[in-house]
Amino acid sequence: GRDLFSATHEEIEIGATTDIYFIRTKEILEKMNLEGTEIVAEIFAGGAGIVAGIDEALNLLKKKDVKVWALEEGSQVERKDVVMRIEGAYSDFGIFETAILGILASSSGWATAARECKQACGEIPMLCFGARHVHPAIAPVMERAALVGGADGASCILGAKLFGKKPSGTVPHALILTVGDTLEVAKAYDEFMPDDAARIILVDTFQDEAVEAVRLADALKENLDGIRLDTASERGGVTPGLVKEVRARLDQAGHNHVNIFVSGGLTPERIIELKSLGVNGFGVGSYISGAKAIDMTMDIKEINGKPIAKRGRIPGKTDSPNLKRVL
Amino acid sequence: GRDLFSATHEEIEIGATTDIYFIRTKEILEKMNLEGTEIVAEIFAGGAGIVAGIDEALNLLKKKDVKVWALEEGSQVERKDVVMRIEGAYSDFGIFETAILGILASSSGWATAARECKQACGEIPMLCFGARHVHPAIAPVMERAALVGGADGASCILGAKLFGKKPSGTVPHALILTVGDTLEVAKAYDEFMPDDAARIILVDTFQDEAVEAVRLADALKENLDGIRLDTASERGGVTPGLVKEVRARLDQAGHNHVNIFVSGGLTPERIIELKSLGVNGFGVGSYISGAKAIDMTMDIKEINGKPIAKRGRIPGKTDSPNLKRVL
Amino acid sequence: GRDLFSATHEEIEIGATTDIYFIRTKEILEKMNLEGTEIVAEIFAGGAGIVAGIDEALNLLKKKDVKVWALEEGSQVERKDVVMRIEGAYSDFGIFETAILGILASSSGWATAARECKQACGEIPMLCFGARHVHPAIAPVMERAALVGGADGASCILGAKLFGKKPSGTVPHALILTVGDTLEVAKAYDEFMPDDAARIILVDTFQDEAVEAVRLADALKENLDGIRLDTASERGGVTPGLVKEVRARLDQAGHNHVNIFVSGGLTPERIIELKSLGVNGFGVGSYISGAKAIDMTMDIKEINGKPIAKRGRIPGKTDSPNLKRVL
Amino acid sequence: GRDLFSATHEEIEIGATTDIYFIRTKEILEKMNLEGTEIVAEIFAGGAGIVAGIDEALNLLKKKDVKVWALEEGSQVERKDVVMRIEGAYSDFGIFETAILGILASSSGWATAARECKQACGEIPMLCFGARHVHPAIAPVMERAALVGGADGASCILGAKLFGKKPSGTVPHALILTVGDTLEVAKAYDEFMPDDAARIILVDTFQDEAVEAVRLADALKENLDGIRLDTASERGGVTPGLVKEVRARLDQAGHNHVNIFVSGGLTPERIIELKSLGVNGFGVGSYISGAKAIDMTMDIKEINGKPIAKRGRIPGKTDSPNLKRVL
Amino acid sequence: GRDLFSATHEEIEIGATTDIYFIRTKEILEKMNLEGTEIVAEIFAGGAGIVAGIDEALNLLKKKDVKVWALEEGSQVERKDVVMRIEGAYSDFGIFETAILGILASSSGWATAARECKQACGEIPMLCFGARHVHPAIAPVMERAALVGGADGASCILGAKLFGKKPSGTVPHALILTVGDTLEVAKAYDEFMPDDAARIILVDTFQDEAVEAVRLADALKENLDGIRLDTASERGGVTPGLVKEVRARLDQAGHNHVNIFVSGGLTPERIIELKSLGVNGFGVGSYISGAKAIDMTMDIKEINGKPIAKRGRIPGKTDSPNLKRVL
Amino acid sequence: GRDLFSATHEEIEIGATTDIYFIRTKEILEKMNLEGTEIVAEIFAGGAGIVAGIDEALNLLKKKDVKVWALEEGSQVERKDVVMRIEGAYSDFGIFETAILGILASSSGWATAARECKQACGEIPMLCFGARHVHPAIAPVMERAALVGGADGASCILGAKLFGKKPSGTVPHALILTVGDTLEVAKAYDEFMPDDAARIILVDTFQDEAVEAVRLADALKENLDGIRLDTASERGGVTPGLVKEVRARLDQAGHNHVNIFVSGGLTPERIIELKSLGVNGFGVGSYISGAKAIDMTMDIKEINGKPIAKRGRIPGKTDSPNLKRVL
Ligand SMILES: [Zn+2]
Ligand SMILES: [Zn+2]
Ligand SMILES: [Zn+2]
Ligand SMILES: [Zn+2]
Ligand SMILES: [Zn+2]
Ligand SMILES: [Zn+2]
Ligand SMILES: [Zn+2]
Ligand SMILES: [Zn+2]
Ligand SMILES: [Zn+2]
Ligand SMILES: [Zn+2]
Ligand SMILES: [Zn+2]
Ligand SMILES: [Zn+2]
């Protein structure tokens, strides 16, 4: 048997992840000699947001004999806006309907959530730390979509690479617990890590965060780039008061140069509140990774040049000036 | 370049989808000669539900030199219950922390939502139709998790196969629009499809649903197994009144044998309401596919035999009688 | 015995519908030789709205020896505004207190609701279809009040006539069901009805509304003035999506000339939503017929020229510049 | 011109208050030679409550060549229960559809509200004082419906008579203001009114209610049957504290025999609260007169012996064991 | 034993009302030879409002060897603003921490509530009538704080005197009940009270308020300065309608010169509503006396010249430009 | 001038804290020769709760020539229950009306809040720490009332003494900050404090609470009775997770004997939640000190043996079987 249940690229490309009824559709069309019927189909968004996944969807379609018009990756859409239009024989692209809708829906959901967080952050960097909440097969898809939406970096190695970035991250609680002392970890990190890796150390593992932050800064001096606050919710999480106090105690000890990074349960609202207290960077996890997909629907709008639609939809092509011919 | 952004099995297994900081952790532990430190880590659930993904996670761990205790796939958990305990060197399993947490979190979310729908359905079959809302790389993971949670079938070909089932489904609106008449499609389906494929036809494409249902039943007679209602939300969706009326009109025309299947925006509440009006099966999409992940957290609880924990957590192994030694 | 329980005009005019205590009051005043006491009474509105019923109330008073000042039919009032002032002997008008208050209260409630709907409609015609929710004895009173409030027409024959209008309406579901086909009814209507009766046909009886609308338009061509949507709530009612789609399908079939009329559970909010989608007329029923009466109260304010009032009210005439001497 | 806008009995019986489209329906059926089509129609209730108006509706139908089954006047119904079934030619009864639905809808609304008040009152008498809020043409219909629903009496002369009762009532504020002293009115009332009219006097016109009540009781002694509290809302209305105090002060002055009646803005909730403090009777106005009509709908269910229905409704007769053949 | 449980001035000044742990602190500091440690402490407000109690707190501190900076009595503060800064040996002022915080917290709560009422009153006088809701030992403290907040007068003899005012008040219900007639009391008051005591008489004891008010005004003429409305909640309290009516009836009787005062359950909202109807003065009780204290916290911010703070607070003096050196 | 604005015992006893109108009442009664009028007055509670302050009120009355009936200190009352009845000349006790009502109202509010907290605590001790939120003159009154309501101890020295208790408390943050180390303070406390003072040390000043707690316990061993958690709200306050973790870490270090005390913003709800996690004692502040007073009202009910009352109240003595003759 296989070890992982996620589909391989080959399985996706041969249609193994499609809904069974598209296979049956193809068979029946062939039996009825209708497999060459010329069709115009449109994909529209079920909600407003940032569209992502266009590029990946086009990669699936490019080997098929179809014409495609689409929005640009990262476009802003309103509810019911058309995202992509496909012309060709349904037999040619029908087996990808499930896959394309799924790619667009989930990627657009992630990109939209990332955009909201980035807008809350403004100039301050926002990294995507959500890989741990999704299946590893799509962690890079999710992180790439977050980067499309505006994230400044991502922790997942493959996700960052797909967007032409280096992955971002520091050290986990696990390392600090294993070593047994935060300062020792900080020193080792400083010694062993490449020069271009920022020295940002978690300070909530063993000790009061403010005490630990000042202790590290006193020891590492200018070598310490920043500290990260990730206080457990059992301890009240990262409160505005904690941020303000850590900033003040670092400053009073002469360490204005030490930046403060915050992670843990962040939302746009919390980002806005904490940003004003002197935070220098945010790591957002489940707000992005758990974003609701933006449902995508594919409608047939013309058959052999005639407008048509199922009940509930308007027959014929939708006026969509932003669509560009891409295939 | 690659066409798809999802990770391949190989990429997952070499750790390419992990958070970068686990790689750094490994390096630093090695530099400090701590790579062999004996560690006990526990993964606990951040919310109540049905756990899924255990089998896939164990497949990742089985090649490593670790001992593992875990709950059974499909177990019910409460918030903070331990799902898995791993003993070994952190260097051995740390790079899978991101992947394992992601597998468990997302699969458990899907299984839990499927369980809620199945409980609403009771004896009536419930199929998972959610593939179109997720990336195709994880469509089979999602559908398998839904089957773990209690779904009776799934539409995604690979998803069903992974659980040892045949995929379920009928025909899409696209086929009916292409052919141009629902009855023609129904006849072709009856003629060309294998005998064991149920004859269930969508009736909301061109015509009033009740008119179309009776027309099909009059033509196909005992060969028609059921009709599917999937009325667009623009037309009010599938209302209780519509179900009641279609059932009554079919019965009055002598077609008690024709079953009614419903899909489209279903939730446990709507299932309970519609079930009592004579529905014979439900196809659930985004309620399952869009389920919130059940966040999973890995905590280090012992190092070299001594209880330990980061601030906010209780040091030492958690009393968890349902864990079984699996590796 | 009588067949109908509503009061005849004669019964109302002799005071048979008054509260018994006004009769007793008259007797006692006579016994005490106070029947000629000069009184000033005012009627004030318990809420804001459009006053209607003034004309009918004055018809009751005109045969009595009283002086009357009143607002004009259709005036806008605020809470506590005086609507009418009567001077004379209480014995002369007391028996009409119940009747006059009832006429003003109910008519003003209806006129106010009609005004709200008309304001929502703007330029688009709004007809009152509420007769079926009220007793036939007052159906014409209600429809007349709706016309005072701004309705453009009314379905009740007598109601329209009282306001100098022709009644409005098309054909009921009953006729279409009896004939058995909408198109046959449409042709008969076109053939047998007078030229000045608009050809507006209900299209939700047997078939999908959009299918039926196009079928009628294709058959009757320029003779079809409009279609009416009155979809049952069991089928989701008349949704915005349905209106938009029917408009689009008619236009695509070349029938821009066919108007769309909507009826069924309309409120000002729904009218505003549907108006923007191309509806050409609305028929409003229970929102008008079921409007809350605007309670009216008659207070004695002067006796023999001296200000007086019961506890809770201000003695003396209220400053009311809009009152005009009418009797 | 006419003085009153309400329809006379003759106008109702010739169909002048019907919706115009029933007239057109009759004409078209005749032109199509379908006027004799055999029809089964059912009227169902749009909400739960007490049905009233059956008797009046049957009086309209009894001269027609139709068979009728109906519930008994005053029956309890649930939403969608059938209230009446009519068999015959639609041409025979169609012109009464508007009238019959209106009679049943409004009467049932009033009867239902009266029932709620009576249930709140329990053994204590409840009178209907709502005539002043409705048009005088239907004041007797409303009061009769209230009596069907359970009211113990009504103030409108004709309304009470239709139910075989004497009207109930005392004296208005107007009489007391005209005479200028409550005690003088009370003495005159005692002197001039028939022996069987209860001596119940309003006590809130000029004076503190408790002071006035004791003053009247001291003067009239055993001749005073009761006092009525109707305090204006500007003065806080009739509060529980007022009722309790008036009862106590009357008792302390030795007048346990004097009953307390309350009117003014009563609802079932307020009745329950005040009843427990020693009130001996209630007069309810706008809660009954302003009750929402229970919408009634007439559906065609069979034509020439075959089940039929418009979209949204179930074809064929509804199983309704409580219907009795009445015509 | 003592009769009263409130602390005497001497008890407060020797620290008998402090929390026991301040005594222990002093002992331990002495044992550790730390009693002379130089400390800077700040008191900050836990909420926004008007600060009162500064003067009283300073009286406690003035005999100690400390330097003090403080806001002015009656200043407006925001949450977290510093109200007072103390420099000296903790042994010198620690025993007053409890007392000072209590004085400031409760006085500031009262002053803030009084300010809200005064702002609602605008130009119209507002008196504090809250003494009956608090212990007599602090009634003068509360009333003084209300005067600081903006009250124009106070009923408590000692409270008014502490602020250099004469106490305000009229006569209680008790006097009127004892004498047995409001007019007799009014005449006696007019005869026996000093010329500069305003003749303001309660009118709700025995009679309808409007009747009684006009009766008093007719009898006392220009000698009657005003009437007071304090209607019991059992009778609906002082409603807007009552105020309006009493004003109108007094004016119609030629007594425009008679002012109306209102007391009983007043809040800023009710004051605003009643003010517009012609009220000339308000007496506010529990809204002021029952105001929530504004919690005050004393933090140590420097020790021997070095910034310090407990976890959760910012070390070092807070930038507070409005503090003035006062001791 | 005086330093403190609170009234002395003498001022209270001569009536200096009464409302001015009671003084005027006395003068007028004397002028009218009514000072000896025999009066029965009752004090009733405006809300449900625990009555306190009876003893102090009786101390004020005992030198007067009056008969008094009262409930016992600490009784449970419902709204409108009579708390005290006084018979005598109004001139004798009228000047104490303000004082007595204030004593009863405020003390009963505090006792009621203390009772709610104690009921939440069950067997676990609950101390009153509210002195810092009230004026020092009434801190002992408040703490005594809390003890009446069920508190097990109080921090205010005089408050505890009035109830025959020793005051309770530990050390403040101020001492720990001054000394500069929590452990040093703990050792000094252990050395210098009397043997019967429990060794309970605050652990949130400088360090992580769990770290500090274990450090103290390791050092003081069996001499440490408990630790107190009072974490600032800026740091999330005392969360359930913190309590659970501190308990676990102490137990794992072998210190089951060390109790956990919690203070800071406690309410009955939070007490119930934290109690179940192993807390051994609670210190409640503002929930008790800031309790709403239970308004008390004194009504005259008889004059010279005749029932009487102001409008809104019932004349005559109220049936009150729990009143006992006390003076
Ligand atoms: Zn962590
Ligand atoms: Zn530094
Ligand atoms: Zn579809
Ligand atoms: Zn069949
Ligand atoms: Zn219809
Ligand atoms: Zn046309
Ligand atoms: Zn009246
Ligand atoms: Zn009597
Ligand atoms: Zn009073
Ligand atoms: Zn005057
Ligand atoms: Zn503290
Ligand atoms: Zn120990």
Side-chain angles (χ1 to χ4, degrees), chain C residues 2-9 11-13 15-25 27-29 31-32 34 37 39 44 55-56 59-60 62-63 80 90 97-99 101-103 105-106 131-141 144 155-158 162 167-175 177-179 184 188-189 192-193 197 204-209 228 230-232 234-235 286 293 295 300 303 308-313, chain D residues 2-9 11-13 15-25 27-29 31-32 34 37 39 44 55-56 59-60 62-63 80 90 97-99 101-103 105-106 131-141 144 155-158 162 167-175 177-179 184 188-189 192-193 197 204-209 228 230-232 234-235 286 293 295 300 303 308-313:
Chain C
R2 63 201 288 158
D3 286 349
L4 287 156
F5 301 146
S6 53
T8 64
H9 293 193
E11 285 169 336
I12 295 169
E13 280 164 18
T17 68
T18 202
D19 286 321
I20 180 68
Y21 66 14
F22 291 110
I23 305 302
R24 294 188 182 159
T25 294
E27 285 175 42
I28 292 173
L29 286 177
K31 297 283 187 184
M32 298 179 85
L34 288 167
T37 312
I39 284 192
F44 70 87
D55 295 349
E56 198 175 12
N59 286 342
L60 277 179
K62 71 185 174 196
K63 295 161 200 157
K80 293 243 168 174
Y90 190 72
E97 178 174 332
T98 307
L101 295 180
I103 286 169
S106 55
R132 65 185 43 223
H133 301 293
V134 300
H135 192 281
I138 53 153
V141 184
R144 187 191 162 280
S155 62
C156 169
I157 300 165
L158 183 53
L162 286 174
S168 307
T170 59
V171 291
H173 290 116
L175 174 60
L177 286 162
T178 305
V179 173
E184 262 189 74
Y189 195 86
F192 301 127
M193 286 294 107
D204 57 289
T205 310
F206 283 122
Q207 272 278 18
D208 178 73
E209 297 86 341
R228 178 156 69 98
D230 184 60
T231 310
E234 288 89 343
R235 288 299 192 90
S286 63
D295 286 351
I300 289 184
I303 292 185
I308 197 168
K310 73 168 193 174
R311 284 166 71 237
R313 301 283 154 70
Chain D
R2 63 201 289 158
D3 286 349
L4 286 157
F5 302 145
S6 52
T8 64
H9 293 194
E11 286 169 336
I12 295 170
E13 280 164 19
T17 67
T18 203
D19 286 320
I20 181 67
Y21 66 14
F22 291 111
I23 304 302
R24 294 185 183 164
T25 294
E27 285 175 41
I28 292 172
L29 287 177
K31 298 283 188 185
M32 298 179 85
L34 289 167
T37 311
I39 286 194
F44 70 87
D55 295 349
E56 198 176 11
N59 285 343
L60 277 180
K62 71 185 174 195
K63 296 160 200 157
K80 293 242 167 173
Y90 190 71
E97 179 175 330
T98 309
L101 295 180
I103 287 169
S106 56
R132 67 185 44 222
H133 302 292
V134 300
H135 192 281
I138 53 154
V141 184
R144 186 189 162 280
S155 62
C156 169
I157 299 165
L158 183 54
L162 286 174
S168 306
T170 58
V171 291
H173 290 116
L175 175 60
L177 286 164
T178 306
V179 172
E184 263 188 73
Y189 194 87
F192 301 127
M193 287 293 106
D204 57 289
T205 311
F206 283 122
Q207 271 278 15
D208 177 74
E209 298 86 341
R228 178 157 69 97
D230 184 60
T231 310
E234 287 90 340
R235 287 300 194 89
S286 62
D295 285 352
I300 289 184
I303 291 186
I308 196 169
K310 73 167 193 175
R311 285 168 68 237
R313 302 284 154 68

Side-chain angles (χ1 to χ4, degrees), chain A residues 9 19 24 80 155 169 234, chain B residues 6 19 24 80 155 169 234:
Chain A
H9 293 192
D19 286 320
R24 295 189 181 159
K80 295 241 167 175
S155 62
E234 287 89 342
Chain B
S6 53
D19 286 321
R24 295 188 181 161
K80 294 241 166 177
S155 61
E234 287 89 342

Side-chain angles (χ1 to χ4, degrees), chain B residues 9 14 49 85 95 250 264 276 321:
Chain B
H9 293 193
I14 62 168
R85 182 183 296 131
I95 61 157
L250 281 169
S276 68

Side-chain angles (χ1 to χ4, degrees), chain E residues 132 171-174 177 202 204-205 228 230, chain F residues 21-22 97 297-299 310 313:
Chain E
R132 65 185 45 223
V171 291
H173 290 115
L177 287 163
L202 258 180
D204 57 288
T205 311
R228 178 157 67 98
D230 184 60
Chain F
Y21 66 15
F22 291 110
E97 179 174 331
T297 304
M298 183 185 287
D299 267 357
K310 74 167 191 175
R313 302 285 153 69

Side-chain angles (χ1 to χ4, degrees), chain B:
Chain B
R2 63 201 288 158
D3 286 349
L4 287 158
F5 302 145
S6 53
T8 64
H9 293 193
E10 296 68 37
E11 287 169 335
I12 295 170
E13 279 165 20
I14 62 168
T17 67
T18 201
D19 286 321
I20 181 66
Y21 65 15
F22 291 111
I23 303 301
R24 295 188 181 161
T25 294
K26 201 164 184 306
E27 285 175 43
I28 292 173
L29 287 177
E30 282 161 13
K31 297 283 187 185
M32 298 179 85
N33 290 320
L34 288 168
E35 71 269 42
T37 311
E38 273 302 302
I39 284 195
V40 177
E42 289 181 353
I43 296 171
F44 70 87
I50 302 300
V51 178
I54 300 271
D55 295 349
E56 197 176 13
L58 295 178
N59 286 342
L60 278 180
L61 288 170
K62 70 185 175 196
K63 295 162 202 159
K64 301 285 173 176
D65 183 22
V66 291
K67 296 184 192 160
V68 183
W69 291 253
L71 299 182
E72 274 184 71
E73 188 84 341
S75 300
Q76 169 88 41
V77 293
E78 297 306 313
R79 183 169 170 271
K80 294 241 166 177
D81 277 359
V82 177
V83 166
M84 189 177 285
R85 182 183 296 131
I86 306 173
E87 289 190 20
Y90 190 70
S91 312
D92 268 342
F93 64 87
I95 61 157
F96 287 155
E97 179 174 332
T98 308
I100 290 172
L101 295 180
I103 286 169
L104 292 171
S106 55
S107 298
S108 299
W110 292 318
T112 301
R115 172 68 50 94
E116 292 170 33
C117 291
K118 182 58 193 171
Q119 283 175 337
C121 287
E123 294 297 301
I124 294 171
M126 186 275 283
L127 309 183
C128 181
F129 281 3
R132 66 186 43 223
H133 302 293
V134 300
H135 193 281
I138 53 155
V141 185
M142 185 270 293
E143 299 231 320
R144 185 189 164 279
L147 291 161
V148 168
D152 297 291
S155 61
C156 169
I157 299 165
L158 183 54
K161 188 173 148 197
L162 285 174
F163 205 75
K165 293 238 174 192
K166 292 204 171 180
S168 307
T170 58
V171 291
H173 290 116
L175 174 61
I176 296 170
L177 286 163
T178 304
V179 173
D181 181 62
T182 306
L183 181 53
E184 261 190 74
V185 170
K187 286 177 178 165
Y189 196 86
D190 189 23
E191 186 176 344
F192 302 126
M193 285 294 106
D195 279 7
D196 64 348
R199 272 68 182 149
I200 297 167
I201 308 294
L202 259 179
V203 293
D204 57 289
T205 310
F206 283 123
Q207 271 278 16
D208 178 73
E209 297 87 342
V211 171
E212 194 79 293
V214 172
R215 179 169 163 252
L216 294 188
D218 284 350
L220 273 72
K221 302 215 163 57
E222 302 308 302
N223 290 338
L224 183 69
D225 292 301
I227 55 92
R228 176 156 70 96
L229 301 173
D230 185 59
T231 310
S233 62
E234 287 89 342
R235 287 297 193 93
V238 180
T239 60
L242 176 62
V243 167
K244 213 170 148 187
E245 181 187 342
V246 171
R247 182 72 272 155
R249 292 190 188 258
L250 281 169
D251 290 353
Q252 289 177 352
H255 304 303
N256 312 55
H257 64 91
V258 176
N259 285 332
I260 296 176
F261 296 88
V262 173
S263 56
L266 291 170
T267 60
E269 293 70 34
R270 286 191 64 215
I271 288 172
I272 287 168
E273 185 181 24
L274 296 176
K275 186 177 66 166
S276 68
L277 301 170
V279 171
N280 306 97
F282 292 97
V284 181
S286 63
Y287 188 82
I288 296 173
S289 66
K292 244 178 96 64
I294 295 183
D295 286 351
M296 298 282 167
T297 304
M298 185 186 285
D299 266 356
I300 290 185
K301 304 291 268 185
E302 278 188 21
I303 291 185
N304 293 330
K306 298 233 183 74
I308 196 169
K310 74 168 193 176
R311 284 166 70 236
R313 302 284 154 68
I314 311 297
K317 292 180 197 162
T318 308
D319 187 42
S320 307
N322 293 326
L323 289 185
K324 297 275 175 300
R325 174 75 185 271
V326 286
L327 290 182

Side-chain angles (χ1 to χ4, degrees), chain E residues 2-9 11-13 15-25 27-29 31-32 34 37 39 44 55-56 59-60 62-63 80 90 97-99 101-103 105-106 131-141 144 155-158 162 167-175 177-179 184 188-189 192-193 197 204-209 228 230-232 234-235 286 293 295 300 303 308-313, chain F residues 2-9 11-13 15-25 27-29 31-32 34 37 39 44 55-56 59-60 62-63 80 90 97-99 101-103 105-106 131-141 144 155-158 162 167-175 177-179 184 188-189 192-193 197 204-209 228 230-232 234-235 286 293 295 300 303 308-313:
Chain E
R2 63 201 289 159
D3 286 350
L4 286 157
F5 302 145
S6 52
T8 64
H9 293 193
E11 286 169 337
I12 295 169
E13 279 163 18
T17 67
T18 202
D19 286 320
I20 180 66
Y21 66 13
F22 291 108
I23 303 301
R24 293 185 182 164
T25 294
E27 285 175 42
I28 291 172
L29 287 177
K31 296 284 188 185
M32 298 178 86
L34 288 167
T37 311
I39 284 193
F44 70 86
D55 295 348
E56 198 176 12
N59 286 341
L60 277 180
K62 70 185 175 198
K63 295 161 200 157
K80 294 244 168 173
Y90 190 71
E97 179 175 331
T98 307
L101 295 180
I103 286 169
S106 56
R132 65 185 45 223
H133 303 292
V134 301
H135 193 281
I138 52 154
V141 184
R144 187 192 161 279
S155 62
C156 169
I157 299 164
L158 185 52
L162 286 174
S168 306
T170 58
V171 291
H173 290 115
L175 175 61
L177 287 163
T178 306
V179 173
E184 262 189 73
Y189 195 86
F192 300 128
M193 286 294 106
D204 57 288
T205 311
F206 283 122
Q207 270 279 18
D208 177 73
E209 296 87 341
R228 178 157 67 98
D230 184 60
T231 311
E234 288 89 342
R235 288 298 193 91
S286 62
D295 285 351
I300 289 185
I303 292 185
I308 196 169
K310 73 168 193 174
R311 283 167 70 236
R313 301 284 154 70
Chain F
R2 63 201 288 157
D3 287 349
L4 286 157
F5 302 146
S6 53
T8 65
H9 293 192
E11 287 170 336
I12 295 170
E13 279 165 19
T17 68
T18 202
D19 287 320
I20 180 68
Y21 66 15
F22 291 110
I23 303 301
R24 294 187 181 161
T25 294
E27 286 175 42
I28 292 173
L29 287 177
K31 297 284 188 185
M32 298 179 85
L34 289 168
T37 312
I39 284 192
F44 70 88
D55 295 349
E56 197 176 11
N59 285 343
L60 276 179
K62 72 186 174 194
K63 294 161 201 158
K80 294 241 166 176
Y90 189 71
E97 179 174 331
T98 307
L101 295 180
I103 287 169
S106 55
R132 66 184 45 222
H133 302 293
V134 300
H135 193 280
I138 53 154
V141 184
R144 186 190 162 277
S155 61
C156 168
I157 300 166
L158 182 54
L162 286 174
S168 307
T170 58
V171 292
H173 289 117
L175 175 59
L177 286 163
T178 306
V179 172
E184 260 189 76
Y189 195 87
F192 300 127
M193 286 295 106
D204 57 289
T205 310
F206 283 121
Q207 273 278 19
D208 178 74
E209 297 88 340
R228 177 157 69 96
D230 185 58
T231 310
E234 288 89 343
R235 289 298 194 91
S286 63
D295 286 351
I300 289 185
I303 292 185
I308 196 168
K310 74 167 191 175
R311 286 167 69 237
R313 302 285 153 69

